[in-house]
Amino acid sequence: MSPPTEEQCEQARQVLLEHAKADLDSMRTPGVADKMLSSASDFTRPGVEYVLRNAFDGIWSRDGLEKKYRSLVVISEPGGLGELAKVDWRGRLQSGLFADADAYSILASTGKTAQLKSHVGMGLSNGLNEVEIREAVLHVMGYCGFPTGLDAFSAAEEAIKAWKAAQAQGS
């Protein structure tokens, strides 16, 4: 089988972009995606299209975590908290509405993998499943970057394996 042509790749990107626009419009005011695209310059348009395709068709539309929980992940990420949280120069949450919250997104996005491992174990004990944890970490990756997300995935997987081993020994 030969690789797809550039025209076929562009057609696929356009299909994904249309799906992404529909998904974003369903969560916001209809037409917001077209407004984003029409206000983009020639320079910024590829970035806007990339975000729409990868965030909204790629992350927000996945199974495994309801959209209301995906929203919570984004809201509780320190960059999404605005004045609701104050983060010090080390990335530690210092004060604000979510200062005492045990949000995976805060721990994952600030690189606190030791604490993330602890809270993954608590989450499993509190009824979360592996798919929900995976999807929350994947969602964080879309907002905080690939290196941070990959570190969080490794920490979460290690914690899940440790939790399962502890459960098996306790049974």
Side-chain angles (χ1 to χ4, degrees):
M1 179 174 209
S2 61
T5 66
E6 183 56 38
E7 182 180 327
Q8 291 169 323
C9 289
E10 183 56 32
Q11 289 172 346
R13 283 191 287 272
Q14 289 306 312
V15 167
L16 293 174
L17 184 59
E18 290 304 314
H19 289 166
K21 288 168 45 178
D23 201 33
L24 177 58
D25 286 352
S26 74
M27 293 186 283
R28 299 280 311 265
T29 307
V32 70
D34 283 328
K35 186 174 181 179
M36 289 173 62
L37 288 165
S38 67
S39 65
S41 68
D42 289 341
F43 183 79
T44 62
R45 186 178 179 91
V48 172
E49 288 180 356
Y50 179 83
V51 167
L52 287 171
R53 279 193 311 269
N54 291 284
F56 294 100
D57 191 57
I59 296 174
W60 279 89
S61 64
R62 290 177 56 87
D63 292 333
L65 195 63
E66 293 177 51
K67 284 187 177 159
K68 67 180 179 180
Y69 296 120
R70 290 185 184 280
S71 290
L72 185 60
V73 167
V74 174
I75 291 166
S76 62
E77 185 275 315
L81 293 171
E83 290 301 312
L84 297 177
K86 302 293 184 205
V87 179
D88 71 9
W89 64 273
R90 291 178 299 271
R92 294 185 184 145
L93 197 59
Q94 296 298 308
S95 64
L97 181 61
F98 293 102
D100 297 322
D102 294 331
Y104 296 125
S105 58
I106 291 171
L107 298 172
S109 68
T110 58
K112 307 298 186 246
T113 55
Q115 285 296 308
L116 178 63
K117 289 175 189 178
S118 174
H119 286 279
V120 165
M122 285 189 282
L124 289 164
S125 294
N126 288 332
L128 286 176
N129 64 47
E130 291 180 48
V131 172
E132 292 167 328
I133 292 168
R134 180 195 67 214
E135 290 302 316
V137 173
L138 178 67
H139 206 84
V140 168
M141 182 187 283
Y143 286 84
C144 298
F146 299 125
T148 299
L150 290 172
D151 286 349
F153 264 115
S154 294
E157 182 177 41
E158 187 178 319
I160 290 167
K161 287 177 181 177
W163 185 84
K164 285 180 174 180
Q167 295 301 306
Q169 288 179 348
S171 300

